[in-house]
């Protein structure tokens, strides 16, 4: 039976630490808590790493965070040779904030890229320094220079980024909110989480369970490193931090 972990990051992506209680240790040594600030790998965004501090002064290094039987069951994977806590033990959780913030900035940049390139998404992967979004694009005229200029226009405009919930019925009535060609957000809970950009979501609104920065300005300098042809109509855009290198 899957356990439900209170995912504090869904309400506040900037919360770096929390107190939590161990509710279970699975057969692979994964640690399940009653609540967590650690994001679990999902939607192309990697899970958090960090540290658990024990009341007796010991520390447990967390090498990965993954989901279990459901996305509400969050499993913290200790690094090798770490002592495991006991069920019922209280821990202080500390995420690797520098890494998480890079992922938040990059994930938000990926959403901006889907605004600049409004085509069906065929794949995506978020990383700290080199992310990708794949599009089904019939038009091969996009250049990395042009896309970078349009991305930076959105960044410099400093649009707000926020989340809101809609119902399954509202999503069904607005199928254009889903940008992925092959993946649909989970339904059945009655609540779909949208990540919105701009006043009232005017720039973009799409289902997403990931963590994001509060405004496009916080993304910072970003550019398209390269555009790769992955099929007759499939193009892979690689996003990288910093200004575009001079050729």
């Amino acid at each position: 039976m899957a356990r439900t972990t209170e995912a504090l990051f869904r309400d506040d992506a900037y919360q770096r630490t929390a107190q939590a209680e161990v509710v279970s240790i699975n057969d692979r040594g994964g640690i399940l808590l009653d609540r967590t600030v650690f994001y679990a790998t999902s939607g192309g965004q990697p899970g958090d790493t960090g540290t658990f501090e024990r009341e007796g002064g010991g520390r447990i290094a967390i090498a990965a965070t993954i989901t279990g039987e459901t996305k509400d069951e969050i499993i913290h994977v200790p690094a090798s040779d770490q002592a495991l806590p006991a069920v019922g033990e209280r821990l202080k959780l500390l995420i690797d904030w520098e890494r998480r913030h890079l992922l938040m900035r990059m994930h938000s940049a990926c959403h901006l890229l889907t605004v600049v390139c409004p085509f069906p998404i065929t794949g995506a992967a978020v990383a700290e320094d080199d992310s990708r979004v794949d599009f089904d694009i019939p038009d091969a005229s996009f250049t990395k220079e042009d896309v970078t200029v349009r991305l930076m226009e959105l960044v410099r405009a400093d649009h707000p980024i926020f989340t809101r919930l809609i119902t399954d019925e509202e999503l069904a009535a607005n199928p254009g909110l889903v940008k992925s060609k092959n993946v649909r957000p989970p339904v059945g809970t009655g609540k779909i989480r949208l990540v919105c950009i701009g006043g009232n979501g005017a720039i973009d609104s799409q289902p997403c369970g990931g963590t994001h920065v509060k405004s496009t300005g916080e993304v910072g300098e970003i550019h398209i490193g390269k555009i790769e042809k992955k099929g007759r109509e499939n193009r892979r855009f690689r996003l990288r931090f910093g200004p575009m290198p001079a050729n």
Side-chain angles (χ1 to χ4, degrees):
M1 177 178 167
R3 296 179 181 271
T4 297
T5 310
E6 183 184 356
L8 301 173
F9 54 81
R10 287 183 186 149
D11 293 325
D12 182 4
Y14 289 80
Q15 186 173 343
R16 309 180 192 191
T17 183
Q19 299 285 336
E21 182 177 313
V22 179
V23 296
S24 177
I25 306 291
N26 69 17
D27 55 5
R28 295 186 179 182
I31 303 169
L32 288 83
L33 308 171
D34 60 342
R35 61 208 298 261
T36 189
V37 289
F38 281 65
Y39 180 83
T41 300
S42 181
Q45 179 177 330
D48 281 322
T49 58
T51 305
F52 292 171
E53 290 185 352
R54 308 179 75 173
E55 290 184 341
R59 296 167 70 89
I60 302 168
I62 300 301
T65 310
I66 60 176
T67 56
E69 294 180 27
T70 71
K71 288 195 175 184
D72 290 323
E73 184 178 69
I74 297 175
I75 301 169
H76 308 81
V77 182
S80 59
D81 301 324
Q82 299 290 294
L84 294 177
V87 172
E89 187 173 339
R90 296 286 297 175
L91 301 170
K92 182 179 181 181
L93 320 181
L94 300 102
I95 60 172
D96 180 345
W97 173 249
E98 185 174 335
R99 176 177 179 270
R100 157 72 86 77
H101 192 238
L102 286 171
L103 292 169
M104 287 164 59
R105 290 168 58 203
M106 189 64 91
H107 199 159
S108 297
C110 289
H111 280 227
L112 293 179
L113 180 57
T114 71
V115 175
V116 176
C117 300
F119 298 97
I121 299 168
T122 56
V126 181
E128 297 105 298
D129 52 7
D130 187 346
S131 299
R132 66 170 175 85
V133 183
D134 303 343
F135 295 98
D136 194 353
I137 298 182
D139 180 1
S141 66
F142 282 85
T143 69
K144 61 183 184 179
E145 292 80 10
D146 289 344
V147 174
T148 295
V149 167
R150 294 177 64 189
L151 277 173
M152 286 309 301
E153 287 174 352
L154 290 168
V155 169
R156 294 189 180 105
D158 202 22
H159 297 290
I161 301 176
F162 60 96
T163 62
R164 69 183 183 93
L165 298 176
I166 61 171
T167 64
D168 293 349
E169 292 73 24
E170 286 175 299
L171 180 65
N174 295 276
L177 291 172
V178 180
K179 297 191 174 187
S180 174
K181 185 175 182 179
N182 303 313
V183 180
R184 292 292 180 266
V187 296
T189 64
K191 293 181 180 179
I192 306 294
R193 181 180 188 260
L194 294 185
V195 171
C196 307
I197 302 175
N200 295 320
I203 302 296
D204 187 51
S205 294
Q206 58 179 294
C208 180
T211 60
H212 293 267
V213 290
K214 292 179 179 175
S215 71
T216 60
E218 197 173 334
V219 169
E221 191 88 31
I222 199 89
H223 70 277
I224 301 298
K226 62 170 68 172
I227 301 174
E228 301 167 323
K229 186 175 181 180
K230 290 296 180 179
R232 187 168 61 88
E233 293 186 350
N234 203 44
R235 301 291 186 275
R236 173 168 293 174
F237 289 67
R238 291 202 169 273
L239 274 163
R240 294 168 185 164
F241 284 123
M244 179 173 284
N247 292 327

